């Protein structure tokens, strides 16, 4: 089975000093999770994971499931996991399923 790698125009990753900063563009849905999952789980090699979702255009329950599993694995590996730039659809899905994921405080509200 061939490993699928997300094209750089969909997922860009920068790893410096043990921190993986990833930015997702486009959709996080049933159409893309299979392509993205290996790259997402590769982020777990870093001690801190910051996933920016400000440029996503769509997210469904499959995309949410991938985020939840990534967060669970990060916790099991004692990694810090933070979402930034969330999407209204993600907020709606989290509310529907009564879930929470760690989100960064926007800089203008940080102490």
């Amino acid at each position: 089975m061939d490993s699928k790698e997300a094209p750089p125009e969909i997922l860009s990753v920068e790893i410096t000093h043990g921190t993986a900063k990833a930015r997702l563009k486009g959709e996080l849905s049933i159409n893309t999770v299979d392509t993205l999952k290996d790259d997402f789980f590769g982020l777990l090699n870093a001690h801190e994971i910051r996933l920016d979702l400000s440029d996503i255009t769509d997210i469904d329950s499959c995309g949410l499931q991938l985020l939840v599993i990534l967060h669970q694995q990060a916790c099991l590996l004692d990694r810090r996991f933070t979402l930034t730039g969330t999407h209204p659809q993600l907020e709606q899905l989290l509310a529907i399923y009564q879930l929470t994921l760690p989100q960064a405080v926007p800089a203008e509200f940080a102490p």
Side-chain angles (χ1 to χ4, degrees), residues 4 13 19-21 23 33 39 43 48 57 61 69-70 77 81-82 84 86 93 100 102 105 107:
K4 296 179 182 180
V13 178
T19 299
K21 295 178 185 176
R23 182 178 200 117
V33 293
D39 290 321
L43 298 173
E48 182 175 355
T57 57
S61 59
I69 292 170
L70 181 62
L77 295 169
F81 177 84
T82 309
T84 62
T86 61
L93 287 169
T100 59
V105 177

Side-chain angles (χ1 to χ4, degrees), residues 68-88:
V68 168
I69 292 170
L70 181 62
H71 176 245
Q72 288 174 336
Q73 290 299 308
C75 289
L76 288 172
L77 295 169
D78 199 28
R79 306 291 196 246
R80 185 169 179 205
F81 177 84
T82 309
L83 295 177
T84 62
T86 61
H87 191 276

